[in-house]
Amino acid sequence: MLDREGIVRRAVRELRDGYTVNLGIGMPTLIANHIPAGMEVVLQSENGILHLGPYPTEAEVDADLINAGKETVTVKPGASYFSSADSFAMIRGGHIDLSILGAMQVDEEGSIANYMIPGKMVKGMGGAMDLVAGARRLVVTMEHTARSGEKKILRRCTLPLTGRRCVHRIITDLCVFDVLPEGAGLELVELAPGVGVEEVRTKTEAAFHVGPAVRTMDA
């Protein structure tokens, strides 16, 4: 199986030259450090930044320059700053080509739960509900199971939903699933090196079928 860095490197392959992309809090933000040289990708942060760069080195840290997760960031030449109202207008207006988010649960219909666990403190909704509804394509990066071994890819999410039938692709440490349209379920399209179909079945509650040409994940 892949480690977190492997998941991130695989997720980078979802980027396309010219895309405007929003990266969710946590693992997805690491993608900013791996964008290939020569690829023009504009990273947007919902707190009002366009053209984010990679994480700063110690010498580059500016405490006044943060992303939506309150982490210090860098910006690229030509970056712009604007209000949250303008930022969410970009998201709600369908101007984000791709959003890559983390999740606590995803189900076989492509519904996602990623913002709260009932009974635990919720820091805030953030931009998640707007992103799952407004981005043109939604990819989820996540560990396949919780540390306890509990399954996270389910027949139906049991946590409060962030969005319903909105996920297009799921990338985990074990495999890649595509979410088929019209609620047709999940299709296994890639396996991590050393991982077999039966291991994925054992660790997945959701039903899925195996695609006609399953590839090895290239991370």
Side-chain angles (χ1 to χ4, degrees):
M1 66 178 66
L2 303 181
D3 58 14
R4 284 172 64 90
E5 278 292 308
I7 298 172
V8 168
R9 289 194 299 270
R10 172 57 188 83
V12 168
R13 291 178 50 210
E14 300 298 309
L15 306 177
R16 298 292 182 271
D17 198 49
Y19 266 16
T20 298
V21 179
N22 183 288
L23 301 175
I25 294 169
M27 193 191 311
T29 60
L30 299 174
I31 292 169
N33 292 343
H34 296 277
I35 296 174
M39 179 181 284
E40 180 70 14
V41 173
V42 177
L43 298 181
Q44 189 250 20
S45 183
E46 57 264 39
N47 62 321
I49 306 175
L50 202 59
H51 229 326
L52 286 166
Y55 277 105
T57 64
E58 187 173 344
E60 294 172 325
V61 169
D62 179 349
D64 292 323
L65 190 56
I66 61 171
N67 62 17
K70 300 179 178 62
E71 300 171 306
T72 54
V73 295
T74 62
V75 294
K76 293 186 174 182
S80 58
Y81 308 95
F82 37 86
S83 71
S84 291
D86 290 323
S87 181
F88 279 88
M90 293 177 189
I91 297 168
R92 296 169 184 172
H95 303 291
I96 304 300
D97 297 295
L98 172 68
S99 182
I100 303 178
L101 300 178
M104 292 176 279
Q105 294 178 346
V106 181
D107 69 26
E108 63 188 45
E109 289 190 330
S111 299
I112 178 174
N114 80 338
Y115 80 100
M116 72 170 295
I117 298 175
K120 294 190 176 183
M121 185 181 74
V122 181
K123 292 183 179 179
M125 182 67 238
M129 282 190 176
D130 293 273
L131 287 164
V132 301
R136 296 176 184 173
R137 180 171 172 80
L138 178 63
V139 173
V140 168
T141 59
M142 63 192 294
E143 278 92 6
H144 205 94
T145 60
R147 292 180 183 175
S148 64
E150 187 177 358
K151 297 171 182 176
K152 297 169 67 175
I153 302 177
L154 309 174
R155 291 188 179 276
R156 294 291 181 272
C157 292
T158 58
L159 295 173
L161 291 182
T162 309
R164 188 167 183 269
R165 291 190 176 185
C166 52
V167 176
H168 296 93
R169 174 166 281 184
I170 308 165
I171 301 172
T172 80
D173 48 340
L174 299 183
C175 67
V176 177
F177 285 121
D178 278 344
V179 183
L180 300 177
E182 307 301 329
L186 303 179
E187 180 177 85
L188 180 68
V189 294
E190 296 181 27
L191 286 167
V195 175
V197 174
E198 287 310 309
E199 181 177 357
V200 174
R201 288 199 190 281
T202 300
K203 296 179 178 180
T204 307
E205 182 190 279
F208 66 88
H209 75 269
V210 179
V214 177
R215 303 179 299 276
T216 299
M217 292 172 72
D218 180 12

